[in-house]
Amino acid sequence: MSNKKGLPAEQTNIESAKAKAAAQTPKKSFGEKVKDFGKRMAKWGRELKSELKKVVWPTKKQVINNSGVVLMVVAVLTITLWLMDLIFESVILNGLLRLITGF
């Protein structure tokens, strides 16, 4: 079913409910908004602290081991890209040289 605007009935019901809720909600003063912001930030801080207590932090040994793995992977990829660059450079330069000189 649709209404006069061609919108589904469910959508117009949602829009009218939103409009009613907005009309019933009184406007807050700047001071009330600031207080609400402070309350929300305090709640966020409490929740953050609670969540951080649940985190299982890695041991020093795990951090050192994981850092070593990362450094080794970066080193291997760096060397691989460097070698590929050298190979492609020589292939391209030799190919251009052969095209220009004819042999």
Side-chain angles (χ1 to χ4, degrees):
M1 283 178 66
S2 63
N3 61 5
K4 295 177 185 176
K5 295 180 184 178
L7 297 173
E10 298 83 23
Q11 187 175 357
T12 56
N13 290 340
I14 292 171
E15 290 173 358
S16 64
K18 286 181 183 178
K20 286 179 186 177
Q24 293 174 354
T25 306
K27 296 285 182 179
K28 292 184 178 181
S29 68
F30 180 74
E32 290 173 330
K33 289 180 182 179
V34 170
K35 286 181 185 177
D36 287 347
F37 178 74
K39 288 178 183 177
R40 287 194 316 261
M41 290 304 295
K43 181 181 176 188
W44 177 80
R46 287 190 303 271
E47 291 174 357
L48 176 67
K49 186 177 179 182
S50 171
E51 290 298 320
L52 286 176
K53 287 181 181 178
K54 296 176 188 176
V55 173
V56 179
W57 297 102
T59 64
K60 185 176 181 179
K61 184 178 178 181
Q62 289 173 325
V63 171
I64 291 171
N65 185 37
N66 291 343
S67 299
V69 169
V70 168
L71 291 174
M72 289 303 296
V73 168
V74 168
V76 167
L77 288 175
T78 301
I79 292 169
T80 303
L81 287 174
W82 176 65
L83 289 173
M84 289 173 64
D85 182 51
L86 286 176
I87 291 167
F88 290 137
E89 180 185 15
S90 66
V91 167
I92 290 172
L93 287 178
N94 287 336
L96 287 175
L97 186 62
R98 287 183 182 166
L99 283 174
I100 292 171
T101 61
F103 55 121

